[in-house]
Amino acid sequence: MKTVLVTGSSRGIGRGIALELARQGYGLVLHGRAPGNALAESLEAIRATGAPCRSVTFDVADRAATRTALLEDMEVHGGYYGVVLNAGVTRDNAFPFLGDDDWDQVLGIDLHSFYNVLKPVVEPMLLARQGGRIVVMSSVAGILGNRGQVNYSAAKAGLIGAARALGAELGRRGITVNCIAPGLIETDMSENAPREKILPLIPMRRTGSVAEVAGLAAFLMSDQAAYITRQVIAVDGGLS
Protein backbone atom coordinates (compact mmCIF):
# COMPACT_ATOMS: atom_id res chain seq x y z
CA MET A 1 0.00 0.00 0.00
CA LYS A 2 1.24 3.48 -0.87
CA THR A 3 1.71 5.76 2.14
CA VAL A 4 1.25 9.52 2.06
CA LEU A 5 2.39 12.08 4.62
CA VAL A 6 0.01 15.05 4.95
CA THR A 7 1.35 17.95 7.00
CA GLY A 8 -1.10 20.14 8.86
CA SER A 9 -3.75 17.42 8.75
CA SER A 10 -5.40 17.94 12.12
CA ARG A 11 -8.14 20.14 10.63
CA GLY A 12 -9.41 21.98 7.57
CA ILE A 13 -8.01 21.28 4.12
CA GLY A 14 -5.34 18.94 5.46
CA ARG A 15 -7.86 16.72 7.19
CA GLY A 16 -10.09 16.77 4.13
CA ILE A 17 -7.22 15.70 1.88
CA ALA A 18 -6.22 12.91 4.25
CA LEU A 19 -9.80 11.61 4.36
CA GLU A 20 -10.10 11.59 0.59
CA LEU A 21 -6.77 9.82 0.20
CA ALA A 22 -7.88 7.22 2.75
CA ARG A 23 -11.05 6.61 0.72
CA GLN A 24 -8.87 6.13 -2.37
CA GLY A 25 -6.90 3.36 -0.67
CA TYR A 26 -3.75 5.09 0.59
CA GLY A 27 -2.17 4.66 3.99
CA LEU A 28 -1.83 7.94 5.86
CA VAL A 29 0.71 9.60 8.10
CA LEU A 30 -0.99 12.56 9.72
CA HIS A 31 0.91 15.50 11.12
CA GLY A 32 0.24 18.08 13.78
CA ARG A 33 2.44 20.54 15.58
CA ALA A 34 1.71 18.78 18.87
CA PRO A 35 -0.61 16.04 20.16
CA GLY A 36 -4.13 17.31 20.79
CA ASN A 37 -7.83 16.73 20.33
CA ALA A 38 -7.88 17.90 16.70
CA LEU A 39 -5.16 15.48 15.64
CA ALA A 40 -6.82 12.66 17.59
CA GLU A 41 -10.12 13.39 15.83
CA SER A 42 -8.39 13.23 12.44
CA LEU A 43 -6.83 9.88 13.33
CA GLU A 44 -10.21 8.53 14.41
CA ALA A 45 -11.88 9.73 11.21
CA ILE A 46 -9.21 8.15 9.00
CA ARG A 47 -9.26 4.86 10.86
CA ALA A 48 -13.04 4.73 10.51
CA THR A 49 -12.50 4.40 6.75
CA GLY A 50 -10.42 1.27 7.32
CA ALA A 51 -7.23 2.86 6.07
CA PRO A 52 -4.02 2.35 8.08
CA CYS A 53 -3.05 5.58 9.77
CA ARG A 54 -0.50 6.92 12.23
CA SER A 55 0.64 10.37 13.29
CA VAL A 56 3.82 12.37 13.74
CA THR A 57 4.16 15.63 15.63
CA PHE A 58 6.69 18.41 15.10
CA ASP A 59 6.93 22.11 14.31
CA VAL A 60 7.56 22.36 10.55
CA ALA A 61 9.52 25.58 11.14
CA ASP A 62 11.98 23.70 13.38
CA ARG A 63 14.37 22.03 10.96
CA ALA A 64 16.10 19.76 13.44
CA ALA A 65 12.89 18.58 15.08
CA THR A 66 11.26 17.97 11.69
CA ARG A 67 14.20 15.94 10.40
CA THR A 68 14.42 13.88 13.58
CA ALA A 69 10.71 13.04 13.67
CA LEU A 70 10.54 12.09 10.00
CA LEU A 71 13.72 10.01 10.00
CA GLU A 72 12.53 8.14 13.08
CA ASP A 73 9.16 7.39 11.48
CA MET A 74 10.72 6.26 8.20
CA GLU A 75 13.29 4.09 10.00
CA VAL A 76 10.44 2.07 11.47
CA HIS A 77 7.89 2.17 8.63
CA GLY A 78 9.84 2.94 5.47
CA GLY A 79 9.74 5.94 3.17
CA TYR A 80 6.66 7.70 1.82
CA TYR A 81 5.26 7.39 -1.67
CA GLY A 82 3.66 10.81 -1.46
CA VAL A 83 3.77 14.03 0.52
CA VAL A 84 1.16 16.77 0.76
CA LEU A 85 2.73 19.96 2.12
CA ASN A 86 -0.26 21.66 3.68
CA ALA A 87 0.81 23.15 7.02
CA GLY A 88 0.49 26.91 7.02
CA VAL A 89 -0.52 30.01 8.95
CA THR A 90 -1.55 33.59 8.24
CA ARG A 91 -0.57 36.77 10.10
CA ASP A 92 -2.35 39.47 8.13
CA ASN A 93 -1.74 43.21 8.33
CA ALA A 94 -0.99 46.13 6.05
CA PHE A 95 2.72 46.11 5.28
CA PRO A 96 3.60 49.30 7.24
CA PHE A 97 2.14 47.66 10.36
CA LEU A 98 3.48 44.15 9.77
CA GLY A 99 5.65 43.02 12.66
CA ASP A 100 8.93 41.15 12.44
CA ASP A 101 7.33 38.10 14.07
CA ASP A 102 4.44 38.22 11.58
CA TRP A 103 6.92 37.99 8.72
CA ASP A 104 9.19 35.39 10.31
CA GLN A 105 6.40 33.06 11.47
CA VAL A 106 4.62 32.98 8.12
CA LEU A 107 7.81 32.49 6.11
CA GLY A 108 9.08 29.94 8.62
CA ILE A 109 5.97 27.78 8.60
CA ASP A 110 4.61 28.32 5.10
CA LEU A 111 7.82 28.47 3.05
CA HIS A 112 10.73 27.05 5.03
CA SER A 113 8.72 23.90 5.71
CA PHE A 114 9.21 23.04 2.02
CA TYR A 115 12.89 22.41 2.71
CA ASN A 116 12.48 21.17 6.26
CA VAL A 117 9.96 18.47 5.37
CA LEU A 118 11.07 17.44 1.89
CA LYS A 119 14.82 17.32 2.48
CA PRO A 120 14.62 14.20 4.71
CA VAL A 121 11.97 12.40 2.65
CA VAL A 122 13.05 12.88 -0.99
CA GLU A 123 16.17 10.70 -0.81
CA PRO A 124 14.21 7.65 0.45
CA MET A 125 11.70 8.26 -2.36
CA LEU A 126 14.53 8.20 -4.89
CA LEU A 127 16.12 5.09 -3.38
CA ALA A 128 12.79 3.24 -3.51
CA ARG A 129 12.75 3.65 -7.33
CA GLN A 130 8.94 3.56 -7.33
CA GLY A 131 8.22 7.12 -8.39
CA GLY A 132 6.24 9.36 -6.10
CA ARG A 133 4.00 12.36 -5.72
CA ILE A 134 4.54 15.71 -4.02
CA VAL A 135 1.60 18.10 -3.76
CA VAL A 136 2.34 21.58 -2.44
CA MET A 137 -0.49 23.73 -1.11
CA SER A 138 0.18 27.25 -2.34
CA SER A 139 -2.58 29.87 -2.62
CA VAL A 140 -4.18 32.28 -5.02
CA ALA A 141 -2.29 34.85 -2.91
CA GLY A 142 0.92 33.44 -4.34
CA ILE A 143 -0.37 34.07 -7.87
CA LEU A 144 -2.13 37.42 -7.54
CA GLY A 145 -0.74 38.90 -4.32
CA ASN A 146 -3.27 39.95 -1.68
CA ARG A 147 -3.58 43.28 0.10
CA GLY A 148 -2.72 42.86 3.77
CA GLN A 149 -0.91 39.59 3.04
CA VAL A 150 2.54 40.56 1.79
CA ASN A 151 4.11 37.92 4.04
CA TYR A 152 1.66 35.18 3.07
CA SER A 153 1.81 36.07 -0.63
CA ALA A 154 5.61 35.99 -0.55
CA ALA A 155 5.64 32.56 1.11
CA LYS A 156 3.06 31.06 -1.24
CA ALA A 157 4.78 32.49 -4.33
CA GLY A 158 8.05 31.05 -3.07
CA LEU A 159 6.45 27.62 -2.82
CA ILE A 160 5.48 27.80 -6.48
CA GLY A 161 9.04 28.57 -7.55
CA ALA A 162 10.49 25.87 -5.31
CA ALA A 163 7.99 23.26 -6.50
CA ARG A 164 8.65 23.97 -10.16
CA ALA A 165 12.40 23.74 -9.64
CA LEU A 166 12.13 20.51 -7.66
CA GLY A 167 9.80 19.06 -10.29
CA ALA A 168 12.45 19.70 -12.93
CA GLU A 169 14.99 17.78 -10.85
CA LEU A 170 12.79 14.80 -9.99
CA GLY A 171 10.80 14.32 -13.19
CA ARG A 172 13.15 11.77 -14.74
CA ARG A 173 12.73 9.61 -11.62
CA GLY A 174 8.96 9.52 -11.96
CA ILE A 175 8.32 11.82 -9.02
CA THR A 176 5.85 14.58 -9.82
CA VAL A 177 5.70 17.92 -8.01
CA ASN A 178 2.62 20.09 -8.37
CA CYS A 179 1.00 23.04 -6.60
CA ILE A 180 -2.61 23.60 -5.69
CA ALA A 181 -3.59 27.25 -5.24
CA PRO A 182 -6.86 27.48 -3.32
CA GLY A 183 -8.87 30.66 -3.25
CA LEU A 184 -11.54 31.39 -0.65
CA ILE A 185 -12.30 27.98 0.86
CA GLU A 186 -14.69 27.30 3.74
CA THR A 187 -12.29 26.60 6.61
CA ASP A 188 -11.48 27.98 10.04
CA MET A 189 -8.67 30.01 8.46
CA SER A 190 -11.11 31.87 6.20
CA GLU A 191 -13.66 32.76 8.89
CA ASN A 192 -12.48 36.36 9.18
CA ALA A 193 -11.94 36.95 5.45
CA PRO A 194 -13.74 40.05 4.06
CA ARG A 195 -16.21 38.04 1.99
CA GLU A 196 -18.26 41.05 0.98
CA LYS A 197 -15.18 42.34 -0.85
CA ILE A 198 -13.92 39.03 -2.21
CA LEU A 199 -17.10 37.35 -3.49
CA PRO A 200 -17.87 40.00 -6.15
CA LEU A 201 -14.41 39.32 -7.62
CA ILE A 202 -15.05 35.57 -7.94
CA PRO A 203 -16.81 34.69 -11.23
CA MET A 204 -18.62 31.78 -9.55
CA ARG A 205 -19.79 34.11 -6.73
CA ARG A 206 -19.29 31.53 -3.99
CA THR A 207 -16.69 30.09 -1.68
CA GLY A 208 -15.10 26.72 -2.39
CA SER A 209 -15.36 23.58 -0.30
CA VAL A 210 -12.65 21.48 1.30
CA ALA A 211 -13.91 18.52 -0.74
CA GLU A 212 -13.22 20.39 -3.99
CA VAL A 213 -9.60 20.92 -2.99
CA ALA A 214 -9.22 17.40 -1.62
CA GLY A 215 -10.51 15.86 -4.84
CA LEU A 216 -7.80 17.59 -6.85
CA ALA A 217 -5.10 16.56 -4.38
CA ALA A 218 -6.21 12.93 -4.62
CA PHE A 219 -6.13 13.10 -8.41
CA LEU A 220 -2.60 14.54 -8.41
CA MET A 221 -1.55 11.68 -6.11
CA SER A 222 -3.00 9.07 -8.48
CA ASP A 223 -1.52 7.05 -11.34
CA GLN A 224 -3.73 9.03 -13.74
CA ALA A 225 -1.65 12.14 -12.96
CA ALA A 226 1.71 10.51 -13.74
CA TYR A 227 2.39 12.88 -16.68
CA ILE A 228 1.43 16.06 -14.83
CA THR A 229 4.25 17.87 -13.05
CA ARG A 230 5.49 21.42 -12.31
CA GLN A 231 1.92 22.74 -12.61
CA VAL A 232 0.02 25.26 -10.51
CA ILE A 233 -3.71 24.52 -10.47
CA ALA A 234 -6.01 27.10 -8.90
CA VAL A 235 -9.17 26.07 -7.07
CA ASP A 236 -10.64 29.54 -6.77
CA GLY A 237 -13.87 29.81 -8.74
CA GLY A 238 -12.08 31.73 -11.50
CA LEU A 239 -10.61 34.44 -9.27
CA SER A 240 -7.14 34.13 -10.80
Short mmCIF file of all heavy atoms in Angstrom, two decimals, residues 120-164:
data_model
loop_
_atom_site.label_atom_id
_atom_site.label_comp_id
_atom_site.label_asym_id
_atom_site.label_seq_id
_atom_site.Cartn_x
_atom_site.Cartn_y
_atom_site.Cartn_z
N PRO A 120 14.42 15.56 4.19
CA PRO A 120 14.62 14.20 4.71
C PRO A 120 13.89 13.12 3.93
O PRO A 120 14.31 11.96 3.97
CB PRO A 120 14.07 14.28 6.14
CG PRO A 120 13.90 15.71 6.45
CD PRO A 120 13.68 16.40 5.14
N VAL A 121 12.81 13.45 3.22
CA VAL A 121 11.97 12.40 2.65
C VAL A 121 12.23 12.13 1.16
O VAL A 121 11.89 11.05 0.66
CB VAL A 121 10.47 12.69 2.86
CG1 VAL A 121 10.17 12.94 4.33
CG2 VAL A 121 9.99 13.85 2.01
N VAL A 122 12.86 13.07 0.45
CA VAL A 122 13.05 12.88 -0.99
C VAL A 122 14.06 11.78 -1.28
O VAL A 122 13.86 10.95 -2.18
CB VAL A 122 13.44 14.20 -1.67
CG1 VAL A 122 14.00 13.95 -3.07
CG2 VAL A 122 12.22 15.12 -1.77
N GLU A 123 15.15 11.73 -0.54
CA GLU A 123 16.17 10.70 -0.81
C GLU A 123 15.60 9.29 -0.68
O GLU A 123 15.83 8.45 -1.56
CB GLU A 123 17.39 10.88 0.08
CG GLU A 123 18.51 9.90 -0.26
CD GLU A 123 19.78 10.14 0.54
OE1 GLU A 123 19.82 11.09 1.34
OE2 GLU A 123 20.73 9.35 0.37
N PRO A 124 14.84 8.98 0.39
CA PRO A 124 14.21 7.65 0.45
C PRO A 124 13.25 7.39 -0.72
O PRO A 124 13.15 6.25 -1.19
CB PRO A 124 13.48 7.67 1.79
CG PRO A 124 14.24 8.63 2.62
CD PRO A 124 14.69 9.69 1.67
N MET A 125 12.56 8.43 -1.19
CA MET A 125 11.70 8.26 -2.36
C MET A 125 12.52 7.87 -3.58
O MET A 125 12.13 7.00 -4.37
CB MET A 125 10.92 9.55 -2.64
CG MET A 125 9.88 9.91 -1.59
SD MET A 125 9.11 11.53 -1.87
CE MET A 125 7.99 11.15 -3.22
N LEU A 126 13.66 8.51 -3.75
CA LEU A 126 14.53 8.20 -4.89
C LEU A 126 15.09 6.78 -4.78
O LEU A 126 15.12 6.04 -5.76
CB LEU A 126 15.67 9.21 -4.96
CG LEU A 126 15.29 10.64 -5.34
CD1 LEU A 126 16.47 11.58 -5.12
CD2 LEU A 126 14.83 10.71 -6.78
N LEU A 127 15.53 6.41 -3.58
CA LEU A 127 16.12 5.09 -3.38
C LEU A 127 15.11 3.96 -3.59
O LEU A 127 15.48 2.86 -4.00
CB LEU A 127 16.73 5.00 -1.98
CG LEU A 127 17.97 5.88 -1.74
CD1 LEU A 127 18.39 5.80 -0.28
CD2 LEU A 127 19.11 5.48 -2.65
N ALA A 128 13.83 4.26 -3.33
CA ALA A 128 12.79 3.24 -3.51
C ALA A 128 12.55 2.92 -4.98
O ALA A 128 12.04 1.85 -5.31
CB ALA A 128 11.49 3.71 -2.86
N ARG A 129 12.90 3.85 -5.88
CA ARG A 129 12.75 3.65 -7.33
C ARG A 129 11.32 3.25 -7.71
O ARG A 129 11.11 2.40 -8.57
CB ARG A 129 13.75 2.60 -7.83
CG ARG A 129 15.20 2.99 -7.63
CD ARG A 129 16.13 1.94 -8.16
NE ARG A 129 17.53 2.30 -7.94
CZ ARG A 129 18.26 3.09 -8.72
NH1 ARG A 129 17.70 3.62 -9.81
NH2 ARG A 129 19.52 3.38 -8.45
N GLN A 130 10.35 3.85 -7.05
CA GLN A 130 8.94 3.56 -7.33
C GLN A 130 8.16 4.81 -7.73
O GLN A 130 6.94 4.80 -7.74
CB GLN A 130 8.29 2.91 -6.11
CG GLN A 130 8.87 1.56 -5.76
CD GLN A 130 8.24 0.94 -4.53
OE1 GLN A 130 7.53 1.61 -3.77
NE2 GLN A 130 8.50 -0.33 -4.31
N GLY A 131 8.89 5.87 -8.09
CA GLY A 131 8.22 7.12 -8.39
C GLY A 131 7.70 7.76 -7.12
O GLY A 131 8.08 7.41 -6.00
N GLY A 132 6.80 8.70 -7.28
CA GLY A 132 6.24 9.36 -6.10
C GLY A 132 5.47 10.60 -6.50
O GLY A 132 5.46 11.02 -7.66
N ARG A 133 4.83 11.18 -5.51
CA ARG A 133 4.00 12.36 -5.72
C ARG A 133 4.25 13.37 -4.60
O ARG A 133 4.22 13.01 -3.41
CB ARG A 133 2.51 11.99 -5.72
CG ARG A 133 2.10 10.95 -6.76
CD ARG A 133 2.03 11.57 -8.14
NE ARG A 133 1.55 10.60 -9.11
CZ ARG A 133 2.34 9.80 -9.84
NH1 ARG A 133 3.66 9.87 -9.68
NH2 ARG A 133 1.83 8.95 -10.70
N ILE A 134 4.46 14.61 -4.98
CA ILE A 134 4.54 15.71 -4.02
C ILE A 134 3.52 16.76 -4.44
O ILE A 134 3.53 17.23 -5.58
CB ILE A 134 5.96 16.32 -3.99
CG1 ILE A 134 6.97 15.28 -3.50
CG2 ILE A 134 5.99 17.56 -3.09
CD1 ILE A 134 8.42 15.72 -3.64
N VAL A 135 2.63 17.08 -3.52
CA VAL A 135 1.60 18.10 -3.76
C VAL A 135 1.83 19.23 -2.76
O VAL A 135 1.84 19.00 -1.54
CB VAL A 135 0.18 17.52 -3.61
CG1 VAL A 135 -0.86 18.62 -3.77
CG2 VAL A 135 -0.05 16.40 -4.62
N VAL A 136 2.03 20.42 -3.26
CA VAL A 136 2.34 21.58 -2.44
C VAL A 136 1.13 22.51 -2.42
O VAL A 136 0.64 22.93 -3.48
CB VAL A 136 3.57 22.33 -2.99
CG1 VAL A 136 3.87 23.56 -2.15
CG2 VAL A 136 4.78 21.39 -3.04
N MET A 137 0.66 22.83 -1.23
CA MET A 137 -0.49 23.73 -1.11
C MET A 137 0.02 25.17 -1.11
O MET A 137 0.56 25.66 -0.11
CB MET A 137 -1.28 23.44 0.17
CG MET A 137 -1.82 22.03 0.25
SD MET A 137 -2.85 21.56 -1.17
CE MET A 137 -4.16 22.76 -0.98
N SER A 138 -0.13 25.83 -2.24
CA SER A 138 0.18 27.25 -2.34
C SER A 138 -1.12 28.01 -2.07
O SER A 138 -1.89 27.63 -1.20
CB SER A 138 0.76 27.57 -3.71
OG SER A 138 1.09 28.94 -3.81
N SER A 139 -1.37 29.06 -2.81
CA SER A 139 -2.58 29.87 -2.62
C SER A 139 -2.73 30.81 -3.79
O SER A 139 -1.75 31.16 -4.46
CB SER A 139 -2.49 30.68 -1.32
OG SER A 139 -3.51 31.66 -1.25
N VAL A 140 -3.97 31.24 -4.02
CA VAL A 140 -4.18 32.28 -5.02
C VAL A 140 -3.40 33.54 -4.65
O VAL A 140 -3.01 34.32 -5.52
CB VAL A 140 -5.69 32.58 -5.16
CG1 VAL A 140 -6.25 33.23 -3.90
CG2 VAL A 140 -5.96 33.45 -6.37
N ALA A 141 -3.11 33.71 -3.34
CA ALA A 141 -2.29 34.85 -2.91
C ALA A 141 -0.89 34.79 -3.50
O ALA A 141 -0.26 35.82 -3.73
CB ALA A 141 -2.21 34.89 -1.39
N GLY A 142 -0.39 33.58 -3.75
CA GLY A 142 0.92 33.44 -4.34
C GLY A 142 0.94 33.72 -5.83
O GLY A 142 2.00 33.88 -6.43
N ILE A 143 -0.25 33.77 -6.44
CA ILE A 143 -0.37 34.07 -7.87
C ILE A 143 -0.67 35.56 -8.08
O ILE A 143 -0.03 36.24 -8.88
CB ILE A 143 -1.47 33.22 -8.52
CG1 ILE A 143 -1.14 31.73 -8.38
CG2 ILE A 143 -1.67 33.60 -9.98
CD1 ILE A 143 -2.26 30.81 -8.83
N LEU A 144 -1.66 36.05 -7.34
CA LEU A 144 -2.13 37.42 -7.54
C LEU A 144 -1.49 38.42 -6.59
O LEU A 144 -1.34 39.59 -6.93
CB LEU A 144 -3.65 37.47 -7.35
CG LEU A 144 -4.50 36.65 -8.32
CD1 LEU A 144 -5.97 36.76 -7.94
CD2 LEU A 144 -4.28 37.11 -9.75
N GLY A 145 -1.14 37.97 -5.36
CA GLY A 145 -0.74 38.90 -4.32
C GLY A 145 -1.97 39.52 -3.69
O GLY A 145 -2.83 40.05 -4.40
N ASN A 146 -2.09 39.43 -2.38
CA ASN A 146 -3.27 39.95 -1.68
C ASN A 146 -2.91 41.14 -0.80
O ASN A 146 -1.88 41.11 -0.10
CB ASN A 146 -3.90 38.86 -0.80
CG ASN A 146 -4.69 37.86 -1.59
OD1 ASN A 146 -4.96 38.05 -2.78
ND2 ASN A 146 -5.08 36.78 -0.94
N ARG A 147 -3.74 42.15 -0.82
CA ARG A 147 -3.58 43.28 0.10
C ARG A 147 -3.63 42.75 1.53
O ARG A 147 -4.44 41.91 1.88
CB ARG A 147 -4.70 44.29 -0.09
CG ARG A 147 -4.66 45.04 -1.41
CD ARG A 147 -5.94 45.84 -1.61
NE ARG A 147 -6.12 46.82 -0.55
CZ ARG A 147 -5.70 48.07 -0.60
NH1 ARG A 147 -5.03 48.50 -1.67
NH2 ARG A 147 -5.91 48.91 0.39
N GLY A 148 -2.74 43.27 2.37
CA GLY A 148 -2.72 42.86 3.77
C GLY A 148 -2.07 41.51 4.00
O GLY A 148 -2.06 41.01 5.12
N GLN A 149 -1.53 40.91 2.93
CA GLN A 149 -0.91 39.59 3.04
C GLN A 149 0.43 39.55 2.30
O GLN A 149 0.72 38.59 1.59
CB GLN A 149 -1.83 38.51 2.49
CG GLN A 149 -3.05 38.22 3.35
CD GLN A 149 -3.78 36.96 2.89
OE1 GLN A 149 -3.98 36.75 1.70
NE2 GLN A 149 -4.18 36.13 3.84
N VAL A 150 1.24 40.54 2.47
CA VAL A 150 2.54 40.56 1.79
C VAL A 150 3.38 39.35 2.24
O VAL A 150 4.03 38.70 1.42
CB VAL A 150 3.29 41.87 2.06
CG1 VAL A 150 4.71 41.82 1.50
CG2 VAL A 150 2.54 43.05 1.45
N ASN A 151 3.35 39.05 3.54
CA ASN A 151 4.11 37.92 4.04
C ASN A 151 3.59 36.60 3.49
O ASN A 151 4.35 35.75 3.01
CB ASN A 151 4.12 37.91 5.57
CG ASN A 151 2.73 38.06 6.18
OD1 ASN A 151 1.73 38.22 5.48
ND2 ASN A 151 2.66 38.00 7.50
N TYR A 152 2.29 36.41 3.56
CA TYR A 152 1.66 35.18 3.07
C TYR A 152 1.84 35.02 1.56
O TYR A 152 2.15 33.93 1.07
CB TYR A 152 0.18 35.22 3.45
CG TYR A 152 -0.59 33.94 3.19
CD1 TYR A 152 -0.37 32.80 3.94
CD2 TYR A 152 -1.58 33.91 2.21
CE1 TYR A 152 -1.10 31.64 3.72
CE2 TYR A 152 -2.32 32.76 1.98
CZ TYR A 152 -2.08 31.63 2.74
OH TYR A 152 -2.82 30.48 2.51
N SER A 153 1.65 36.11 0.82
CA SER A 153 1.81 36.07 -0.63
C SER A 153 3.25 35.72 -1.00
O SER A 153 3.49 34.95 -1.94
CB SER A 153 1.42 37.42 -1.25
OG SER A 153 0.05 37.70 -1.00
N ALA A 154 4.21 36.28 -0.28
CA ALA A 154 5.61 35.99 -0.55
C ALA A 154 5.90 34.51 -0.32
O ALA A 154 6.58 33.85 -1.12
CB ALA A 154 6.51 36.84 0.34
N ALA A 155 5.40 33.97 0.78
CA ALA A 155 5.64 32.56 1.11
C ALA A 155 5.01 31.64 0.07
O ALA A 155 5.63 30.68 -0.41
CB ALA A 155 5.10 32.25 2.50
N LYS A 156 3.77 31.94 -0.31
CA LYS A 156 3.06 31.06 -1.24
C LYS A 156 3.62 31.16 -2.66
O LYS A 156 3.63 30.18 -3.40
CB LYS A 156 1.57 31.37 -1.22
CG LYS A 156 0.89 31.05 0.12
CD LYS A 156 1.05 29.58 0.49
CE LYS A 156 0.24 29.21 1.72
NZ LYS A 156 0.36 27.77 2.05
N ALA A 157 4.11 32.35 -3.04
CA ALA A 157 4.78 32.49 -4.33
C ALA A 157 6.10 31.74 -4.32
O ALA A 157 6.49 31.10 -5.31
CB ALA A 157 5.00 33.96 -4.66
N GLY A 158 6.80 31.79 -3.20
CA GLY A 158 8.05 31.05 -3.07
C GLY A 158 7.85 29.55 -3.21
O GLY A 158 8.69 28.85 -3.80
N LEU A 159 6.75 29.05 -2.68
CA LEU A 159 6.45 27.62 -2.82
C LEU A 159 6.29 27.22 -4.28
O LEU A 159 6.71 26.14 -4.70
CB LEU A 159 5.18 27.27 -2.04
CG LEU A 159 5.29 27.24 -0.52
CD1 LEU A 159 3.92 27.02 0.10
CD2 LEU A 159 6.26 26.14 -0.07
N ILE A 160 5.66 28.10 -5.06
CA ILE A 160 5.48 27.80 -6.48
C ILE A 160 6.83 27.68 -7.18
O ILE A 160 7.08 26.73 -7.94
CB ILE A 160 4.60 28.88 -7.14
CG1 ILE A 160 3.16 28.77 -6.63
CG2 ILE A 160 4.65 28.76 -8.66
CD1 ILE A 160 2.26 29.91 -7.06
N GLY A 161 7.73 28.63 -6.93
CA GLY A 161 9.04 28.57 -7.55
C GLY A 161 9.83 27.34 -7.12
O GLY A 161 10.47 26.67 -7.94
N ALA A 162 9.76 27.03 -5.83
CA ALA A 162 10.49 25.87 -5.31
C ALA A 162 9.93 24.57 -5.89
O ALA A 162 10.68 23.67 -6.26
CB ALA A 162 10.41 25.84 -3.79
N ALA A 163 8.62 24.48 -5.98
CA ALA A 163 7.99 23.26 -6.50
C ALA A 163 8.33 23.05 -7.97
O ALA A 163 8.63 21.92 -8.40
CB ALA A 163 6.47 23.33 -6.31
N ARG A 164 8.32 24.11 -8.74
CA ARG A 164 8.65 23.97 -10.16
C ARG A 164 10.11 23.55 -10.35
O ARG A 164 10.44 22.74 -11.23
CB ARG A 164 8.35 25.28 -10.89
CG ARG A 164 6.86 25.48 -11.16
CD ARG A 164 6.58 26.76 -11.87
NE ARG A 164 5.27 26.72 -12.53
CZ ARG A 164 4.59 27.78 -12.89
NH1 ARG A 164 5.07 28.99 -12.68
NH2 ARG A 164 3.41 27.66 -13.48
#
